[in-house]
Amino acid sequence: MSRLAMALAVMLLLASAGMARAEQLVSALSNGNIAITSSFDGEVLSLFGNVEPDEGKHNVSGNYDVVIVVIGPSVDRVARLKTNVLGFWMNTEQVEFNPFPTFFQVLSGNPLDKIADHQALEDLRILPDAQARVSAVPQSLHVERFGAELVRLMTARGLFGINETAVRFISPTAYVAQLPLPADISNGLFITQTYLFKDGKLLATRGDSFAINKTGFERFLFTSAHQYPLLYGLVCVLLAVGTGWLGGVVFRR
Amino acid sequence: MNLFYLVGIGGAVGFLSGLFGVGGGFLLTPLLIFSGVPSSVAVSSVTGQVVAASTSGALSYWRRGGIDFHLALYLILSSLIGVSGGVATFSALRAAGQLDLVISVGYLLLLGTVGTLMLSEAVRALLKRRAGLVVRERLPNQHTWMHGLPFRIRFKRSKLYISVVPVIVIGMGIGFVGSLLGVGGGFILVPALVYLLRVPGSVVVGTTLLQMVAMMAATTLLQAMQSQSVDVLLSFCLMVGGTIGAQFGASAGQYLRGDQLRFLLALLVLAIAIRFGLTLVLAPADPFSVATIGASGVI
């Protein structure tokens, strides 16, 4: 066990040493902890960062490309297809995707196919379709088709998407990007993966995270429904009986 | 979803339920589904509203002595078996992706049958009235073969000495259908008690209301525990709107004759049945849909 840990540590050190020779990324978020209150109707998150020159050089040459992938918490999803059976429309086929992110936005400053080749984007799971391919339950047929439809449906809801004009360089090395978060965003831990490309090559990556949490009464309801379902149900019933009784008293039915 | 919209829906349905003297679950659940609430959340949140609506009714019947507690006990206990079956079926169907289909077919059959029966009855009554005949309701006093089944029990308040078998079958059936479709089932239970068991009119409504309170309370509890699809905020908005709306509906109902009311209600019930039928037959705007597996649904 300890030998394995040692080996891992050495590998990590080697890897980071390897990275240290090239450019590095520093990045930050405008808000690391977003609170969903009862009046929450979305928010714009700013992501910014800088390309740090490697130790030998003093200045960095331009033409960098930054791609940021923002990934929300995962749930088990299922995509279903309705077909006509004897005149009735019903769900006849389904493919499960678990775990599948509830939010997946790709931000870049140039068209993705000009930043890196398709295989590299696929391998890094930058494209939403690649994410669907990875999450699909292996035995399922039609994974490609259902995965594409799942991504389309999530895109229609504003939870998935690719924005190829979101990242803006404000100096040869400093970038800023803006990401609107929709009102019906799920809460939990969000991960932002920032990739630095130059001439189609990946130079550096960097991960950040931020949290979206319900607060106040919403949070109280959410946690009690999921953690104390019996109590939650009892409160619902008592509330109903109480309202009915009160209505009967007030209006003397 | 907008808070005022929900209270508004609750109020409108409460008005109708007060006007027609029905529980309102079979109007409220479809309305919520048609306005975009997931059917699982709609069904399990309406049950709370039905509890509230039935409670005030049951209390007023209790004060007037209009409840057969002995009969209600048998109905409640048997409906609890039906409810646990219904809630389990609900979860299984949701996991299989067939809940929407079963709810649509269930409403189509249930409301289609009830609506057709009501409409033909109401039209007949209206025509007779126009012809100048005095409409007299046939008193249901004869025994049927059901009363002769074994395990006979005396229900003193209802002045009945009947087999307990049909009582249990009716209770279980109501529990299953009610918890699966999110309806109190008063519009099935009242006719069933009157025409099948010959329960006298003085206690039939009160007993039904008490049974509905217990059955829907159990459904709410089980749904909250099993599928966690009860939305207390949604439910509360509907309760408040429904309780207030019912008062105005009840006073408005005094200006309409009984057969006219039944005619209008029949048209409404049939319209909802047709709407469900259309969702089954018409090609969906998008054949693909996405759902979350496991517990979800609370706003």
Side-chain angles (χ1 to χ4, degrees):
Chain A
M1 187 66 207
S2 64
R3 196 171 291 174
L4 185 71
M6 274 275 262
L8 268 175
V10 169
M11 271 168 65
L12 273 175
L13 260 175
L14 285 175
S16 59
M19 296 296 256
R21 276 191 271 118
E23 287 89 338
Q24 282 197 326
L25 265 175
V26 288
S27 62
L29 302 167
S30 60
N31 193 349
N33 207 342
I34 296 164
I36 298 189
T37 56
S38 53
S39 58
F40 181 82
D41 59 350
E43 187 168 316
V44 176
L45 184 75
S46 293
L47 308 106
F48 39 89
N50 196 37
V51 182
E52 299 285 305
D54 58 334
E55 279 158 35
K57 297 177 191 165
H58 290 290
N59 59 337
V60 286
S61 48
N63 294 332
Y64 289 112
D65 271 310
V66 165
V67 178
I68 308 169
V69 182
V70 182
I71 308 167
S74 290
V75 292
D76 293 350
R77 288 272 178 196
V78 57
R80 295 182 171 126
L81 172 65
K82 274 196 172 77
T83 52
N84 197 322
V85 181
L86 304 172
F88 294 101
W89 287 89
M90 55 174 80
N91 290 322
T92 46
E93 279 181 73
Q94 64 176 49
V95 176
E96 289 182 22
F97 297 87
N98 39 3
F100 194 72
T102 52
F103 188 83
F104 195 99
Q105 290 282 353
V106 183
L107 311 174
S108 70
N110 281 312
L112 285 175
D113 50 8
K114 293 200 178 131
I115 295 176
D117 63 40
H118 192 81
Q119 192 55 46
L121 296 173
E122 181 103 348
D123 291 345
L124 291 166
R125 291 191 208 166
I126 286 175
L127 297 173
D129 291 16
Q131 184 65 44
R133 227 163 280 138
V134 173
S135 305
V137 172
Q139 284 83 10
S140 323
L141 299 160
H142 319 303
V143 166
E144 283 290 318
R145 183 176 173 215
F146 278 73
E149 294 292 343
L150 177 58
V151 170
R152 177 181 65 79
L153 287 168
M154 298 297 280
T155 307
R157 286 164 63 176
L159 298 170
F160 275 42
I162 299 173
N163 186 344
E164 292 174 332
T165 57
V167 176
R168 210 155 40 82
F169 271 88
I170 49 175
S171 82
T173 61
Y175 69 88
V176 61
Q178 295 210 310
L179 173 68
L181 303 174
D184 59 342
I185 196 164
S186 53
N187 52 95
L189 190 69
F190 283 66
I191 291 176
T192 65
Q193 282 288 351
T194 309
Y195 300 92
L196 178 68
F197 287 97
K198 189 182 176 187
D199 305 326
K201 279 210 189 71
L202 180 67
L203 298 180
T205 61
R206 165 146 180 131
D208 290 287
S209 66
F210 64 97
I212 295 186
N213 283 311
K214 288 186 174 168
T215 56
F217 192 55
E218 271 78 11
R219 182 190 178 85
F220 170 73
L221 280 186
F222 187 82
T223 49
S224 49
H226 289 92
Q227 286 172 12
Y228 312 101
L230 175 65
L231 206 63
Y232 181 86
L234 277 175
V235 169
C236 288
V237 171
L238 287 179
L239 194 66
V241 172
T243 311
W245 172 79
L246 196 67
V249 169
V250 170
F251 296 105
R252 275 183 284 114
R253 270 221 274 185
Chain B
M1 191 139 281
N2 192 325
L3 219 67
F4 295 103
Y5 176 70
L6 292 176
V7 176
I9 285 193
V13 171
F15 181 84
L16 292 176
S17 72
L19 186 65
F20 298 124
V22 292
F26 71 97
L27 297 173
L28 200 45
T29 310
L31 265 179
L32 287 178
I33 293 176
F34 296 154
S35 51
V37 176
S39 44
S40 54
V41 180
V43 166
S44 27
S45 300
V46 164
T47 53
Q49 196 273 340
V50 176
V51 173
S54 322
T55 300
S56 51
L59 279 174
S60 83
Y61 276 93
W62 177 53
R63 272 187 236 112
R64 283 182 254 153
I67 296 180
D68 184 341
F69 282 100
H70 193 197
L71 178 62
L73 181 70
Y74 277 89
L75 283 172
I76 288 169
L77 289 181
S78 52
S79 74
L80 292 186
I81 301 169
V83 163
S84 48
V87 173
T89 310
F90 184 93
S91 295
L93 284 171
R94 197 166 81 144
Q98 302 299 349
L99 182 64
D100 291 8
L101 175 74
V102 170
I103 285 179
S104 294
V105 172
Y107 269 102
L108 177 64
L109 292 180
L110 196 64
L111 298 186
T113 315
V114 171
T116 311
L117 287 175
M118 274 169 55
L119 190 66
S120 59
E121 188 269 340
V123 167
R124 232 178 294 135
L126 282 172
L127 289 178
K128 271 184 189 162
R129 184 183 290 275
R130 188 153 301 170
L133 290 169
V134 181
V135 185
R136 182 179 291 153
E137 282 183 29
R138 196 158 41 90
L139 283 176
N141 50 6
Q142 315 95 318
H143 271 222
T144 61
W145 59 271
M146 283 185 192
H147 298 82
L149 291 169
F151 310 113
R152 295 176 75 155
I153 287 185
R154 194 174 299 282
F155 296 106
K156 283 209 189 80
R157 189 71 191 74
S158 301
K159 301 189 184 70
L160 286 173
Y161 180 54
I162 53 168
S163 163
V164 80
V165 174
V167 177
I168 289 173
V169 169
I170 289 173
M172 279 168 62
I174 287 287
F176 185 81
V177 173
S179 56
L180 192 61
L181 299 184
V183 294
F187 63 103
I188 320 171
L189 190 52
V190 170
L193 291 183
V194 170
Y195 293 105
L196 299 179
L197 301 184
R198 310 296 193 213
V199 175
S202 57
V203 294
V204 70
V205 178
T207 309
T208 299
L209 284 169
L210 178 63
Q211 192 271 344
M212 270 160 61
V213 171
M215 176 182 105
M216 287 284 111
T219 308
T220 309
L221 205 58
L222 278 180
Q223 291 283 25
M225 287 168 68
Q226 218 172 72
S227 63
Q228 302 181 346
S229 53
V230 179
D231 190 314
V232 71
L233 267 184
L234 170 60
S235 204
F236 187 63
C237 291
L238 299 176
M239 287 174 207
V240 172
T243 311
I244 297 170
Q247 311 308 320
F248 292 101
S251 43
Q254 291 162 357
Y255 299 102
L256 284 167
R257 284 205 318 268
D259 46 3
Q260 289 173 333
L261 277 176
R262 286 200 296 279
F263 179 72
L264 292 177
L265 181 61
L267 287 185
L268 185 66
V269 165
L270 278 179
I272 297 174
I274 290 168
R275 176 72 165 75
F276 271 111
L278 287 179
T279 62
L280 286 170
V281 178
L282 293 183
D286 190 343
F288 280 94
S289 63
V290 53
T292 314
I293 307 171
S296 74
V298 174
I299 289 174

